[in-house]
Each structure stands twice: as structure tokens, then as C-alpha cells.
Amino acid sequence: MPADPADEAVELTSELIALDTTNGADTAAPGRERVAAEYVAAKLADAGYAPTYVESGAPGKGNVVARLEGADPGRGALLVHGHLDVVPADPAQWSVHPFSGEVRDGYVWGRGAVDMKGMVAMALATARRFKMDGVVPPRDLVFAFVADEEAGGFAGARWLVDHRPDLFEGATEAIGEVGGFSVTLAGGVRAYLVETAEKGAMWLRLKVSGTAGHGSMVNDDNAIATLAAAVARLQAHRFPVVLTDPVRDFLAGVAEITGVPFDPDDPEAAVARLGHLSRMIGATLRDTANVTRFEAGYKANVVPSVARATVDGRMLPGREAAFEAELAEVLGPEVEREWDTLPPVATTFDGALVDAMAAAIAAEDPGAPLLPYMLSGATDAKSFARLRIRHFGFAPLRLPPDLDFTALFHGVDERVPVDALRFGTRVLDRLLRTS
């Protein structure tokens, strides 16, 4: 083991990326997470832990949980979690092979570098160092490395919460992905975002039935045409702007830091000034619904009887019923709808854990403030919320000002700066020693 856990975090990130844990569209296929889960379990065991390895009914969906006892067993435990699966990547589109884990030009490259094997590596390196050095944290730490997050966590965090809640006994707070990273605001001021809320998710399966027939004949009941028109209406539709408390707090914080006033009656103007960040923050001003798959037909001269599409819907807290009603109106009665949902989650930006995050960041980057924000996507926080665990997105990284970080999530040439991993490991070490 390297003398510095920050160096080990870089090595672990590279090695984890090289383990192909793609979670693809075929949810019935065996999972690929087992190889990474066994890797993590072996690293934990080598440091002296007795990790629990468990799979759901889905083969290959490996999960690993380990606990480090703290000084005060009466305090609520802190859960540190990360997922082992990644979304697919086409090597032909990348500058490097997406499963190489190549370290080049000051970055670790590959699928999962930011989503989220970098955080997994930082947590694993810190957990190993604590155990090997005999560190006793203020309270119990529960380290969870889980499967299936990219498909909703139903064979990962959700399954563990429903079937093995004992592994998280006493946990009251958690930290996970998509927060803790730096953004450079107007005037060159660097701030760190902490996720305190997430939009809900609704994955819709749309279906239209029509009349099958020969492609050369007149057909006024074409399933493809009907569904395509419905999807086009949905693409053109704009859901109403709703300024929620987490987004209001974020924009007010940016205004305070930059000195540029924020008009609550025109939040879109404030978001437009955020540069690269506007893509993600803008999605938290309203509900969204994007078609992600369209399937129909089997031969050039046959009009099929069925057309199907998949829509990724995300709704703001409190908008669940309104979102569903608006979708039905836009799509129309001809479109059948089935869906899976994950609810919005939110917490307040206060408390001892938030103070400890701020202190840990300040020790490594003096004067840099923290800002709460709402995530437009979804994480395993939704599953752990079922255990009433208060969750924050905090995977600390100090990033170059010109790096379009949010574009790297599920993007081509995903990569994470080596220095950011080292920084994040030092911050995480301080946080877990003091929180």
C-alpha cells in the first residue's frame, strides 16, 4: 500500500475503471459488478476488515458493506457509499479505451472516472488507511460499495435496504456522489457544491398499437406515426418554471459570492450566467422528459402493429401528480404508459456534518465556500432515504476552472484529474476523522 492514501486512490481509480462493470439496457442479463465487488472486498479484507459480500436475486450484482466502529456507539453512524456499475461506452468514440484506466496528461481516463469509481477509490483508500493505522473515528462508519445504481439500484442499494437493513443499523446520515466538486464562478471565486436534494425519476415505457399492413398501401392507423407525433409534442413541450427552496438557496448563494443580484422572478436569467453549470442547474428549474429509445418495425415494406418508446422523466419535489397529469395530456389518449418511479429527496443544509464538510474543504482550500444545490439526476440516496438516512452529495474534487465537469457524466472521454483525486482523498480523510 502506498504511504499516502491519496496516491493509492489514484491507483485504485485506474484499476477499478479497468474492470468492465457496464450496466446495459438488458436488465435481465447477469450483472457485471461482481468482479469489482470482489476486488473491493479483497482490498478491505487485506486491511483487516471482515466485509460482507451479498448479491440480490440478480446474478453478478455484487454488493460489499463494511463497518468501522467509532468512539461513540450511541451516535448515529455515517454511511459512505458508492456504486460500482457504469453506463455503456463505445470505444470507437473515445480518445482512449474507456476501460483502460489510463493515466495521461494529469487525468485518469475511462468510464466511471467521475461516475463514480473515483469516489469509490477515495472511500476505499481512506477506509483501508483508517483500519491499518488503527484510527477510531468519532462514530461508526459504514462503507457500502453497491451494484445497479445506473438502473435505479433495484438490485443494489434498494435491495439491500429492503432485505439487509441490518447492514446499515444505526446510520442516520450519508454522503455519496454528485457533490463536493468545485465550480469557478464569475470573478474567479471557487465554491464547492453539496447536493441536498434530487429530482424524482419516472422511466416511462410508451406503447401505441395500430393496424399492421403492407408498406405500399394507404394506412391511416400507423403506430409509428402516432407515437412519433406524440414524442415530438413531448419534446416541444416546456414544463412550468418552479423555484424550489434548494434552487433558490443555491442562486442566492451565487449572488452573494459574485455580487450579481438574483431576481427570484427571473431565475432563468441567473442560471444563464452559470456557464457550463447552467445545463445541470437549469434542469432543476422545471420538470423534464426526454425520449431515450424508440423501437418499431421489422421490415421495410411492413407497417408494424406496435411502436414503443422510452422516456426519461424527472420531476421536482411536490410535482409528482402534476407531472404525471401533464404527461398524459401532452402524449394523448392513444399512447399507453407504464412506468417505474423513484421519488424526489431533500434535506436542509445545516448541522454538524455540514460544518465538518466546510471545515474539511477549508483546510485544503482556504476561503472557498460551500453551496447547497439540487441534482437533476438520481442517486442511491433515494434508496437509503427509505431508512430515513439524511443524505448529502459530497465526493470532494477541486477541478480546473475550464473543465466542463458535468458533461463528463455518461459522456465520451470521461476523466478525472489526478490532483483532484488526491485533494478529495485528503478532504475525505479529514471529514471522516472529525464528523
Side-chain angles (χ1 to χ4, degrees), residues 23 60 81 128 136 164 197 227 392:
N23 195 346
H81 65 92
R128 279 167 51 81
V136 179
R164 292 298 308 272
L227 183 57
F392 297 93

mmCIF file of all heavy atoms in Angstrom, residues 23 60 81 128 136 164 197 227 392:
data_model
loop_
_atom_site.group_PDB
_atom_site.id
_atom_site.type_symbol
_atom_site.label_atom_id
_atom_site.label_comp_id
_atom_site.label_asym_id
_atom_site.label_seq_id
_atom_site.Cartn_x
_atom_site.Cartn_y
_atom_site.Cartn_z
ATOM 1 N N ASN A 23 -23.444 -1.591 -16.982
ATOM 2 C CA ASN A 23 -24.835 -1.926 -16.685
ATOM 3 C C ASN A 23 -25.654 -1.468 -17.884
ATOM 4 O O ASN A 23 -25.949 -0.289 -18.034
ATOM 5 C CB ASN A 23 -25.286 -1.209 -15.409
ATOM 6 C CG ASN A 23 -26.571 -1.764 -14.838
ATOM 7 O OD1 ASN A 23 -27.285 -2.516 -15.494
ATOM 8 N ND2 ASN A 23 -26.870 -1.401 -13.609
ATOM 9 N N GLY A 60 -24.552 -11.814 -10.284
ATOM 10 C CA GLY A 60 -23.473 -10.920 -10.664
ATOM 11 C C GLY A 60 -23.585 -9.521 -10.109
ATOM 12 O O GLY A 60 -22.657 -8.723 -10.225
ATOM 13 N N HIS A 81 -21.102 5.828 0.720
ATOM 14 C CA HIS A 81 -21.487 4.837 -0.286
ATOM 15 C C HIS A 81 -21.100 5.271 -1.691
ATOM 16 O O HIS A 81 -20.977 6.457 -1.997
ATOM 17 C CB HIS A 81 -22.991 4.543 -0.219
ATOM 18 C CG HIS A 81 -23.866 5.707 -0.562
ATOM 19 N ND1 HIS A 81 -24.324 5.949 -1.845
ATOM 20 C CD2 HIS A 81 -24.384 6.702 0.203
ATOM 21 C CE1 HIS A 81 -25.086 7.026 -1.844
ATOM 22 N NE2 HIS A 81 -25.140 7.518 -0.616
ATOM 23 N N ARG A 128 -9.198 1.846 4.094
ATOM 24 C CA ARG A 128 -8.032 0.985 4.319
ATOM 25 C C ARG A 128 -7.025 1.647 5.260
ATOM 26 O O ARG A 128 -6.505 1.019 6.183
ATOM 27 C CB ARG A 128 -7.367 0.669 2.965
ATOM 28 C CG ARG A 128 -8.070 -0.440 2.211
ATOM 29 C CD ARG A 128 -7.609 -0.543 0.758
ATOM 30 N NE ARG A 128 -6.162 -0.612 0.596
ATOM 31 C CZ ARG A 128 -5.422 -1.727 0.735
ATOM 32 N NH1 ARG A 128 -6.015 -2.867 1.083
ATOM 33 N NH2 ARG A 128 -4.122 -1.699 0.523
ATOM 34 N N VAL A 136 -9.708 5.451 15.143
ATOM 35 C CA VAL A 136 -11.053 5.282 15.688
ATOM 36 C C VAL A 136 -11.825 6.572 15.419
ATOM 37 O O VAL A 136 -11.565 7.602 16.041
ATOM 38 C CB VAL A 136 -11.021 4.993 17.201
ATOM 39 C CG1 VAL A 136 -12.450 4.849 17.740
ATOM 40 C CG2 VAL A 136 -10.214 3.732 17.498
ATOM 41 N N ARG A 164 -31.550 -6.307 3.612
ATOM 42 C CA ARG A 164 -30.449 -6.363 4.589
ATOM 43 C C ARG A 164 -30.287 -5.020 5.309
ATOM 44 O O ARG A 164 -29.200 -4.454 5.354
ATOM 45 C CB ARG A 164 -29.133 -6.747 3.895
ATOM 46 C CG ARG A 164 -29.084 -8.160 3.366
ATOM 47 C CD ARG A 164 -29.220 -9.209 4.485
ATOM 48 N NE ARG A 164 -28.293 -9.014 5.576
ATOM 49 C CZ ARG A 164 -27.049 -9.526 5.621
ATOM 50 N NH1 ARG A 164 -26.620 -10.243 4.598
ATOM 51 N NH2 ARG A 164 -26.273 -9.315 6.651
ATOM 52 N N ALA A 197 -30.629 17.917 -2.438
ATOM 53 C CA ALA A 197 -31.920 17.491 -2.971
ATOM 54 C C ALA A 197 -31.734 16.866 -4.342
ATOM 55 O O ALA A 197 -30.750 17.142 -5.038
ATOM 56 C CB ALA A 197 -32.874 18.690 -3.070
ATOM 57 N N LEU A 227 -47.046 7.419 -32.570
ATOM 58 C CA LEU A 227 -46.120 7.563 -31.445
ATOM 59 C C LEU A 227 -45.084 8.645 -31.725
ATOM 60 O O LEU A 227 -44.732 9.424 -30.822
ATOM 61 C CB LEU A 227 -45.429 6.229 -31.153
ATOM 62 C CG LEU A 227 -44.475 6.215 -29.948
ATOM 63 C CD1 LEU A 227 -45.204 6.656 -28.675
ATOM 64 C CD2 LEU A 227 -43.860 4.837 -29.754
ATOM 65 N N PHE A 392 -26.332 13.607 1.788
ATOM 66 C CA PHE A 392 -25.666 14.714 1.110
ATOM 67 C C PHE A 392 -24.799 14.159 -0.015
ATOM 68 O O PHE A 392 -24.116 13.144 0.157
ATOM 69 C CB PHE A 392 -24.767 15.501 2.073
ATOM 70 C CG PHE A 392 -25.502 16.165 3.202
ATOM 71 C CD1 PHE A 392 -25.653 15.509 4.412
ATOM 72 C CD2 PHE A 392 -26.050 17.429 3.052
ATOM 73 C CE1 PHE A 392 -26.333 16.103 5.461
ATOM 74 C CE2 PHE A 392 -26.730 18.038 4.101
ATOM 75 C CZ PHE A 392 -26.874 17.372 5.307
#
